[in-house]
Amino acid sequence: MKDAQPKAIYLKDYQPPEYLIDTVDLHFMLADEATLVKSRLQIRRNPLAPESNSLVLDGEQLKLLSLAIDGQDLAAEDYIVDSSALTIMSVPEKFLLEITTEIKPQDNTSLEGLYRSHTMYCTQCEAEGFRKITYYLDRPDVMARFTTTVEAQADKYPVLLSNGNPIDSGVLEGGRHWVKWEDPFPKPAYLFALVAGDLEKVEGTFTTMSGREVRIEVFVEDKDVEKCGHAIESLQRSMAWDEQVYGREYDLDIYMIVAVDDFNMGAMENKGLNIFNTSCVLASPETTTDASFQRVEGVVAHEYFHNWSGNRVTCRDWFQLSLKEGFTVFRDEEFSADVGSRTVKRVEGVSMLRTAQFAEDAGPMAHPVQPASYMEISNFYTLTIYEKGAEVVRMLQQLLGAEQFRQATDLYFERFDGQAVTCDDFVACMEDISGRDLTQFKYWYTQAGTPVVNVVGEYSETDNTYRLRFEQYCPPSPGQAEKEAYMIPIKVSLFGEAGAMRLQCQGMTADTETDDNTEMVLEITARQQEFVFEQVMELPVPSLLRGFSAPVKLHYPYTAEQRLFLMSRDNDGFNRWDACQQLCVEILQSQVLAVQTAQSPELDQRLVHAFDGLLMDESLDPAMVALMLQLPSQAYLSELSEQIDVFAIDTARRFTQTSVARQLKERLLAVYERLSSDESYLPNAEQIGQRSLRNMCLSYLVSLEEEQAISLAEGQLSCANNMTDEFAALLAMAHSQDDKFRSRKTQALNSFYEKWSHEPLVVNLWLQAQATDPSAECFENISRLMESAVFDINNPNKVRALIGAFANQNAMNFHKTDGSGHQFLGNIVTQLDGSNPMIAARLVTPLTRWEKYTEDTATSMRGVLQGIQKQPGLSKDLYEIVFKSLKMD
Ligand code: TRP
Ligand code: ZN
């Protein structure tokens, strides 16, 4: 438990470190009872910092066994130890500090620092976990060269790993052995890693652009050796891509990845020794869905790209987190777009941003891409830092153009190699290369909230002009009542009967990237701004914010006819999808209103027609058709609501889903049949697209709760040769609500479990299927599962699969009017806070949005938060979230 009343720390208070550490020599003696850590630090005063005699090192949950400076043991009065620091009263200019601490990894359930997962030891040091291993200057602007010796019992821990290259090893008495590692690159402590275990190694190689051969080594448990191929291939593709697209070469002789089952996040980019959640590295057709195959590829790429954007050039302080995360997400998204389908990737990315990041940006935890303050940095690994941060980099690339953007990143990597820098340093490179002043652009880094852009168009037949008037506004966010105007790049085209028009805009030259002058990027810089297009010979339909060129909420008063027109005619794939999505949104919103006013909802037949057209047209990309048929989610419709009415949204979605299914039943069945395939499984864009459309058809059909569709699902469940189809069929069965299918539903779930009980990641899918079941018995099921041996509250993947999925993807049950869902989550969060505060603080998120719900729901949610807040000894993590969401800060 941490101290009471945590305090915020502020970016404006940043001071350079008073001391620097040149080298670190670590010696770990791993043992069941207690692990000893001996650290030898070469320290000197920082010439760039104000004078000071005392040295304050970070350290938590450590037992200090010995302390010496230049070989002299310190006396008790020479230093002070408290719960978060070791203070040495007086130190020389330059000295060797030797520290021995004792830690107990076997009792560490927080999964930060050194801990155990199954039978292995592993570490997680970002952001502030290294201080749970030994006393240190645990801040990213202190970069040191590390050597690490790992010593353990040889039979139980044959594999001993740390960062860099192995330089020595030996055997000791009593069945122990050791390996010494050296990392030649100076690094902050958050990139330190250690692994010890009985692991199998799967190997690959990569030859770099300069002809060096790099060994790829993936370490997994014996039973998983067959599931490493996809990760290795993804890594090889990432390494080649970073050379081609950014000119970045890998810099060590070995690249190691270790898979661990107990992990708080997706993966960690430790120098030369990535540690991965098993869910982000293991993949096989039989056990892994298409979505997970793509996640593995994306996360492997993400961690690899960090080697330059994060490790070689790192963050000065944690306020700069998006410097590495936003940039690296941008890089991994572009990689995935290049190796898969660009438009599909963009639609998926924007959907997530608009649903979850926009909700975060409108909630009590809203913060800028570069936050000005935080209490607990673990709470700031957010969609804003990652996904909005990536959008900000994307806008910079858009503004500079591909060529200058590349020059600017070359300059960034060259100028700051081996340094810890800021977001301003990154933008300065963009300015230096382009010669542009990006001062106004930087509000994207410093202001929270999602800007709203209202647009109207005005056509004049008399002088053939078309005016687009823009108005921008950003709602207040915590601590920021008023916002400065943003610089918003809005990509536009104008469509007439013959297609995209050539653009002639007063005071502008057409975009140089399209040679036919049909697309332009308008830079909105004022609160109100007008652009006049000339020689416009007919009333155009504008295509705005093409490719989602800025993370804003753009409104234009389109008619349904205009949306249908863009849906089939726009040559921007993203906007074609968005025209369809926004048409669905409007239809669903009017149905919600009907439900709320006790009228019967109606379905605009033009949508049914359009869907029919999409299903019929075999020339279309099946992946895009599936995305267009996917109705806006409960979560997205909630985000768009002024006040969230869970029941009305659910009713409207169900009504539309079943109405479409009823009217297009024959067509859906035909497409389902047409797309059946006996090709052997490949996780490529083409097959993934076909499976997603086929399973989309299945989900429409089963919504009818008819024998025919349920039999289809049963058949697919038993015959599928890959987990994508098998899981889609399981979901169809598991979410059926009609009593007449009850025993077949139970049967499907039981046999799935029997088949896969030995595969933890598949069991998680099974838990998730039950957690998201909309039927009334779901809640009892979850409680029963939690009590069973299948569940493990100390395993974050299990918690996310069962509890996280319930709270985030099962609105009707989570928000049940008796408040039982809220209370249930509150109890689990409180319990988890004692063992894993980081996961507890993440899990509580859905409750923090209480203000947006209808009154009774809001009252119940707030009540649970107040209950948590009264608990004694809350962690800093949970304290910050709960207090901010109750507006008590
Ligand atoms: N840097 C990691 C990434 O984005 C994130 C991460 C992994 C992390 N594990 C963590 C952050 C634990 C905080 C705590 O790739
Ligand atoms: Zn990252």
Side-chain angles (χ1 to χ4, degrees):
M1 241 17 56
K2 316 233 171 108
D3 300 335
Q5 295 294 317
K7 280 215 281 292
I9 71 160
Y10 295 88
L11 169 58
K12 65 173 165 44
D13 295 339
Y14 172 81
Q15 294 290 334
E18 289 168 349
Y19 292 87
L20 300 174
I21 304 176
D22 292 317
T23 61
V24 183
D25 183 41
L26 297 169
H27 193 117
F28 288 81
M29 282 173 274
L30 301 172
D32 291 348
E33 267 300 292
T35 288
L36 290 190
V37 184
K38 293 191 175 181
S39 166
R40 293 161 53 87
L41 309 173
Q42 278 294 347
I43 303 184
R44 67 188 153 92
R45 180 163 287 149
N46 182 1
L48 302 175
E51 288 267 322
S52 130
N53 277 325
S54 63
L55 172 68
V56 185
L57 299 175
D58 305 295
E60 287 171 14
Q61 296 158 42
L62 303 171
K63 185 165 159 193
L64 180 62
L65 297 185
S66 74
L67 188 60
I69 287 182
D70 293 327
Q72 291 286 307
D73 281 344
L74 295 197
E77 63 272 20
D78 296 337
Y79 62 91
I80 303 170
V81 176
D82 66 26
S83 64
S84 64
L86 163 64
T87 306
I88 304 175
M89 284 5 149
S90 170
V91 295
E93 282 280 314
K94 191 167 184 297
F95 56 100
L96 171 70
L97 181 64
E98 292 171 280
I99 313 168
T100 308
T101 48
E102 181 190 294
I103 51 177
K104 303 215 154 162
Q106 68 275 19
D107 298 337
N108 181 356
T109 54
S110 71
L111 315 188
E112 297 173 300
L114 178 64
Y115 65 94
R116 292 191 60 116
S117 178
H118 296 193
T119 57
M120 67 176 122
Y121 288 93
C122 62
T123 53
Q124 172 54 42
C125 293
E126 188 177 6
E128 298 180 333
F130 194 75
R131 62 187 64 187
K132 291 178 160 192
I133 294 174
T134 181
Y135 289 103
Y136 199 76
L137 289 172
D138 190 7
R139 44 187 290 169
D141 56 355
V142 172
M143 299 171 80
R145 275 181 293 116
F146 282 65
T147 49
T148 305
T149 305
V150 189
E151 180 201 313
Q153 212 178 301
D155 54 351
K156 285 166 84 177
Y157 310 101
V159 175
L160 304 173
L161 309 174
S162 190
N163 316 83
N165 304 304
I167 52 168
D168 202 359
S169 64
V171 175
L172 301 169
E173 276 169 38
R176 293 176 70 80
H177 72 150
W178 58 274
V179 179
K180 183 171 185 178
W181 293 80
E182 175 182 65
D183 181 356
F185 295 95
K187 65 168 176 288
Y190 84 85
L191 290 172
F192 171 80
L194 173 160
V195 168
D198 187 359
L199 298 165
E200 295 298 317
K201 176 165 76 182
V202 183
E203 288 185 83
T205 61
F206 179 78
T207 306
T208 70
M209 58 206 274
S210 69
R212 270 189 316 108
E213 184 156 299
V214 175
R215 258 192 358 257
I216 295 169
E217 304 185 339
V218 178
F219 293 88
V220 296
E221 282 180 31
D222 185 41
K223 67 178 177 61
D224 293 325
V225 289
E226 299 302 323
K227 303 196 191 84
C228 299
H230 184 63
I232 291 174
E233 285 160 28
S234 300
L235 180 57
Q236 288 161 332
R237 282 195 286 270
S238 307
M239 293 175 99
W241 187 89
D242 212 16
E243 292 183 348
Q244 278 154 24
V245 181
Y246 284 85
R248 298 292 117 199
E249 187 176 357
Y250 186 58
D251 52 10
L252 286 166
D253 296 333
I254 329 174
Y255 194 91
M256 294 175 283
I257 289 179
V258 180
V260 308
D261 217 23
D262 302 286
F263 202 73
N264 281 347
M265 305 271 278
M268 180 63 211
E269 70 266 22
N270 315 304
K271 185 77 187 187
L273 178 55
N274 289 181
I275 297 183
F276 271 62
N277 190 320
T278 45
S279 71
C280 294
V281 58
L282 304 179
S284 76
E286 299 73 35
T287 57
T288 309
T289 62
D290 288 340
S292 298
F293 264 92
Q294 291 178 302
R295 172 131 175 97
V296 167
E297 180 180 71
V299 176
V300 167
H302 179 95
E303 306 313 329
Y304 176 69
F305 297 154
H306 268 317
N307 191 54
W308 276 96
S309 50
N311 300 3
R312 288 287 287 258
V313 181
T314 195
C315 303
R316 186 191 73 174
D317 53 72
W318 293 120
F319 299 102
Q320 320 300 329
L321 183 56
S322 196
L323 174 73
K324 75 175 176 82
E325 296 304 348
F327 187 23
T328 303
V329 170
F330 172 69
R331 278 151 55 70
D332 82 58
E333 286 178 346
E334 284 295 294
F335 164 75
S336 297
D338 282 345
V339 300
S341 159
R342 178 163 286 272
T343 307
V344 170
K345 180 72 190 164
R346 192 64 186 140
V347 168
E348 289 167 351
V350 172
S351 275
M352 199 240 279
L353 190 83
R354 285 208 292 219
T355 303
Q357 195 279 324
F358 282 14
E360 182 172 277
D361 232 351
M365 275 293 289
H367 55 276
V369 168
Q370 183 189 62
S373 75
Y374 62 77
M375 288 183 196
E376 169 53 60
I377 187 57
S378 294
N379 288 332
F380 285 76
Y381 288 77
T382 59
L383 292 155
T384 301
I385 301 294
Y386 279 68
E387 314 301 326
K388 186 178 182 177
E391 292 306 315
V392 172
V393 177
R394 190 183 308 282
M395 286 190 286
L396 285 169
Q397 187 198 38
Q398 168 83 65
L399 292 173
L400 266 68
E403 206 171 304
Q404 285 197 355
F405 179 77
R406 167 64 194 273
Q407 289 169 15
T409 59
D410 282 353
L411 175 62
Y412 170 73
F413 290 126
E414 193 204 341
R415 188 183 275 177
F416 300 118
D417 190 9
Q419 296 181 48
V421 303
T422 64
C423 297
D424 274 337
D425 291 327
F426 182 78
V427 178
C429 293
M430 303 287 151
E431 289 185 317
D432 289 356
I433 291 295
S434 66
R436 292 187 61 146
D437 177 355
L438 296 171
T439 309
Q440 186 185 16
F441 182 83
K442 287 204 256 184
Y443 291 123
W444 285 109
Y445 283 97
T446 54
Q447 296 185 157
T450 307
V452 177
V453 179
N454 290 312
V455 193
V456 289
E458 191 183 285
Y459 181 62
S460 161
E461 272 175 28
T462 39
D463 58 3
N464 294 325
T465 58
Y466 182 66
R467 284 158 200 275
L468 277 177
R469 286 205 192 96
F470 295 83
E471 196 180 83
Q472 62 161 299
Y473 159 78
C474 184
S477 51
Q480 292 182 331
E482 303 287 334
K483 307 292 167 80
E484 300 293 335
Y486 287 84
M487 122 82 106
I488 306 174
I490 297 190
K491 204 187 253 190
V492 301
S493 286
L494 301 179
F495 282 87
E497 273 314 311
M501 301 174 172
R502 285 166 181 280
L503 301 181
Q504 223 174 294
C505 183
Q506 282 178 13
M508 283 188 62
T509 49
D511 188 23
T512 46
E513 277 178 69
T514 58
D515 29 52
D516 59 355
N517 290 349
T518 57
E519 190 177 66
M520 221 174 235
V521 178
L522 308 177
E523 294 181 8
I524 315 294
T525 51
R527 288 184 198 280
Q528 291 183 346
Q529 204 163 331
E530 181 178 271
F531 292 85
V532 183
F533 295 88
E534 291 169 335
Q535 304 289 323
V536 181
M537 308 316 286
E538 61 185 306
L539 172 69
V541 180
S543 167
L544 302 165
L545 202 69
R546 292 159 72 83
F548 204 68
S549 60
V552 300
K553 294 185 173 184
L554 183 136
H555 301 293
Y556 178 89
Y558 286 111
T559 62
E561 289 305 331
Q562 288 175 318
R563 296 217 197 264
L564 288 160
F565 173 85
L566 289 174
M567 201 175 139
S568 58
R569 305 280 287 279
D570 200 326
N571 56 0
D572 182 279
F574 173 82
N575 269 19
R576 223 162 35 235
W577 168 80
D578 203 30
C580 179
Q581 180 80 4
Q582 297 313 318
L583 179 62
C584 292
V585 164
E586 275 166 18
I587 290 170
L588 285 157
Q589 284 175 334
S590 64
Q591 292 168 349
V592 166
L593 201 66
V595 174
Q596 286 171 330
T597 51
Q599 290 165 289
S600 39
E602 279 168 29
L603 180 57
D604 188 331
Q605 285 303 305
R606 287 173 296 189
L607 183 70
V608 184
H609 231 87
F611 278 4
D612 197 25
L614 291 170
L615 285 164
M616 235 178 349
D617 188 345
E618 292 185 32
S619 72
L620 298 174
D621 174 6
M624 286 309 294
V625 175
L627 287 169
M628 288 167 103
L629 291 182
Q630 179 154 45
L631 296 180
S633 65
Q634 174 98 24
Y636 182 42
L637 293 167
S638 298
E639 202 290 313
L640 293 172
S641 306
E642 199 61 45
Q643 189 177 53
I644 303 169
D645 184 336
V646 176
F647 170 79
I649 293 175
D650 184 71
T651 308
R653 286 190 81 252
R654 261 171 215 288
F655 170 76
T656 299
Q657 176 101 12
T658 53
S659 307
V660 168
R662 199 167 298 114
Q663 293 188 57
L664 300 182
K665 186 170 158 187
E666 295 311 318
R667 180 85 63 210
L668 289 161
L669 280 166
V671 174
Y672 181 85
E673 288 308 328
R674 166 162 69 82
L675 292 174
S676 76
S677 144
D678 43 25
E679 278 181 301
S680 64
Y681 178 93
L682 280 176
N684 62 19
E686 193 192 345
Q687 281 196 15
I688 291 173
Q690 289 170 357
R691 281 189 288 270
S692 71
L693 179 53
R694 185 159 188 263
N695 287 319
M696 180 59 63
C697 292
L698 180 67
S699 82
Y700 268 99
L701 289 165
V702 294
S703 73
L704 294 174
E705 303 262 355
E706 288 172 358
E707 174 59 37
Q708 188 183 16
I710 291 289
S711 314
L712 273 187
E714 270 174 343
Q716 181 169 325
L717 186 59
S718 55
C719 297
N721 66 353
N722 64 81
M723 186 47 71
T724 306
D725 291 336
E726 192 170 340
F727 185 56
L730 181 75
L731 278 180
M733 296 299 296
H735 292 181
S736 67
Q737 284 175 270
D738 198 309
D739 247 2
K740 65 178 181 280
F741 301 125
R742 187 178 259 241
S743 67
R744 289 157 77 181
K745 165 176 174 171
T746 312
Q747 171 60 33
L749 282 163
N750 288 348
S751 47
F752 187 91
Y753 180 72
E754 268 162 44
K755 182 172 171 194
W756 293 114
S757 58
H758 59 287
E759 288 284 357
L761 296 174
V762 184
V763 170
N764 294 347
L765 290 174
W766 178 78
L767 293 173
Q768 189 196 323
Q770 297 172 84
T772 51
D773 178 4
S775 26
E777 74 252 23
C778 164
F779 196 61
E780 276 163 46
N781 254 337
I782 294 180
S783 310
R784 187 176 44 76
L785 287 165
M786 272 196 76
E787 296 304 315
S788 80
V790 175
F791 188 71
D792 174 5
I793 193 141
N794 287 322
N795 177 268
N797 288 352
K798 294 251 167 325
V799 172
R800 283 185 278 257
L802 194 62
I803 320 299
F806 170 71
N808 290 298
Q809 297 165 52
N810 194 343
M812 286 296 276
N813 276 310
F814 177 58
H815 294 296
K816 219 161 88 183
T817 45
D818 63 4
S820 54
H822 304 149
Q823 194 56 56
F824 170 72
L825 185 65
N827 293 343
I828 294 167
V829 165
T830 307
Q831 184 194 341
L832 250 180
D833 195 43
S835 52
N836 189 332
M838 190 175 156
I839 297 297
R842 288 182 166 257
L843 205 61
V844 82
T845 304
L847 287 172
T848 65
R849 310 280 158 78
W850 61 272
E851 262 190 304
K852 275 199 73 171
Y853 287 81
T854 46
E855 200 182 326
D856 291 352
T857 308
T859 307
S860 159
M861 294 167 85
R862 190 181 49 187
V864 170
L865 286 170
Q866 286 165 335
I868 297 174
Q869 175 234 316
K870 290 200 193 80
Q871 297 290 322
L874 281 193
S875 70
K876 220 203 281 184
D877 311 54
L878 190 54
Y879 176 98
E880 176 170 36
I881 308 278
V882 170
F883 276 66
K884 284 183 177 172
S885 63
L886 291 171
K887 302 195 187 301
M888 304 191 52
D889 57 338

